[in-house]
Amino acid sequence: MKYNERIRELREDKSLTQQRIADLLHIGQRTYADYESGKTRIPVDSLLILARFYNVSMDYIAGASNQKKPYPAD
């Protein structure tokens, strides 16, 4: 699974709007929609924010793993 599909799946599983996630990332809803559609690549720092928010690993978001492991604590 590609990361853009994974971030959409994570958002929809929590019944969140694109606007809610866009607010979390301090971007516009249209920009976030472009991330989910694959039109625009999401910056790594935004992926880190999403991994922490959803409590999953970066490997899961990137599609390198299908196991929803928690984001590692410091």
Side-chain angles (χ1 to χ4, degrees):
M1 180 176 281
K2 296 179 181 178
Y3 77 87
N4 61 309
E5 296 167 345
R6 188 61 51 96
I7 61 173
R8 176 181 293 215
E9 174 188 82
L10 286 165
R11 179 182 59 78
E12 289 176 346
D13 284 351
K14 300 276 188 192
S15 299
L16 299 169
T17 64
Q18 287 183 340
Q19 185 62 57
R20 169 67 177 95
I21 302 303
D23 291 346
L24 173 73
L25 299 176
H26 305 289
I27 58 173
Q29 180 274 328
R30 184 72 239 158
T31 300
Y32 184 75
D34 288 346
Y35 293 163
E36 281 192 0
S37 71
K39 185 176 179 182
T40 304
R41 288 185 166 217
I42 186 169
V44 173
D45 58 333
S46 294
L47 288 175
L48 286 167
I49 292 168
L50 293 178
R52 288 183 182 116
F53 180 76
Y54 292 122
N55 197 32
V56 298
S57 69
M58 286 286 290
D59 285 345
Y60 182 76
I61 288 182
S65 170
N66 288 324
Q67 296 181 2
K68 284 186 177 180
K69 294 181 180 177
Y71 189 83
D74 290 336

